Amino acid sequence: MTDRYCVFGNPIKHSKSPLIHGEFARQTQQPMTYTAVLAPEDGFTDAWRAFVAGGGRGANVTVPFKGDAFALCDTLSYRAKRAQAVNTLIVGGNGRTYGDTTDGIGLVRDLAYHRVPLAGKRVLVLGAGGAVRGILEPLLAEKPSEVVVANRTVAKAEQLAEAFVDLGRIYGGGFASVKGPFDVVINGTSASLSGELPPLPETLFGEGAWAYDMMYGAEPTVFLQWAGPRGAKLLDGLGMLVEQAAESFFAWRNVRPETASVRTLLRQSLNY
């Protein structure tokens, strides 16, 4: 019996998830298929139910459906409840839907893979949308000295920080109030997609600091292009994509795949 999995999104044609999970399945010899499914913007729940009715065992969920996935779940993981979003769906033995989010753990594991220290460090997170909300609980679990959330809409950053203040030292504010230096700066805005850059001070990066963009591409993002000449070491979100996928795969199959070779494969695929 071959088990069926997929990723839901809109758009979805660009997704690298089938490549990643196909490689994980080959590597671990798991009897499964993994495809990309374009769901209607107003029809995600019906698409999920149809997939399950056809024998689907689980799925990843990407933009714009992570909130819809959160709403349809019968049971949620702790980190999904904190993130208020779901990117991993699992069909339980009783037919009930379990939801998890692996984005934050994917980020933290990618930073660990590159030996980026977080404990005791000052971390700046740019943006206050769903992508940022999904990473804050695992990020704070690494015990940074403080996390500052900066956003164009100040109130949104303040509200987000308040929602996580029980987990550690976290503050929210506007870009104008950002005071460096920081040890790690994470761009969680969508600015890289539009080629824009948040208004940031020149003195953002401390000595040996890292700049991390949750987006990735064949070329460095506009944020990384800006950060490099200002002394930061650079990382994009490709490794985060692979690591969050590995965590989803483990949740489905109870087998943890090796990720280093898949990182290399995915990086190479961007050049074609």
Side-chain angles (χ1 to χ4, degrees), residues 222-246:
V222 65
F223 169 68
L224 295 181
Q225 290 176 35
W226 178 86
R230 289 159 180 82
K233 293 178 279 188
L234 310 179
L235 287 173
D236 69 11
L238 180 141
M240 175 181 172
L241 178 67
V242 174
E243 294 297 339
Q244 65 82 24

Side-chain angles (χ1 to χ4, degrees), residues 145-258:
S145 63
E146 69 174 0
V147 172
V148 177
V149 178
N151 191 56
R152 201 174 300 276
T153 305
V154 176
K156 196 170 182 183
E158 291 175 340
Q159 291 163 5
L160 190 56
E162 180 64 27
F164 287 86
V165 73
D166 59 310
L167 300 182
R169 294 183 62 185
I170 181 170
Y171 309 94
F175 292 125
S177 65
V178 170
K179 297 290 189 292
F182 290 91
D183 301 298
V184 181
V185 180
I186 300 168
N187 182 29
T189 73
S190 59
S192 292
L193 294 177
S194 56
E196 298 174 357
L197 190 70
L200 301 170
E202 294 288 321
T203 56
L204 196 61
F205 301 104
E207 185 176 351
W210 291 83
Y212 190 103
D213 200 317
M214 289 168 63
M215 301 292 179
Y216 69 93
E219 302 295 330
T221 66
V222 65
F223 169 68
L224 295 181
Q225 290 176 35
W226 178 86
R230 289 159 180 82
K233 293 178 279 188
L234 310 179
L235 287 173
D236 69 11
L238 180 141
M240 175 181 172
L241 178 67
V242 174
E243 294 297 339
Q244 65 82 24
E247 187 68 10
S248 295
F249 189 90
F250 178 74
W252 294 326
R253 311 301 298 180
N254 200 32
V255 175
R256 192 168 293 284
E258 177 271 322

Side-chain angles (χ1 to χ4, degrees), residues 90-141:
I90 305 166
V91 180
N94 56 3
R96 293 167 66 84
T97 299
Y98 174 81
D100 194 7
T101 180
T102 64
D103 288 331
I105 201 69
L107 169 69
V108 168
R109 288 206 178 128
D110 190 33
L111 290 170
Y113 179 88
H114 290 284
R115 295 181 173 82
V116 179
L118 291 172
K121 301 300 182 181
R122 193 163 186 246
V123 179
L124 173 66
V125 181
L126 305 174
V132 169
R133 187 180 188 100
I135 68 171
L136 290 179
E137 183 268 324
L139 194 60
L140 287 163

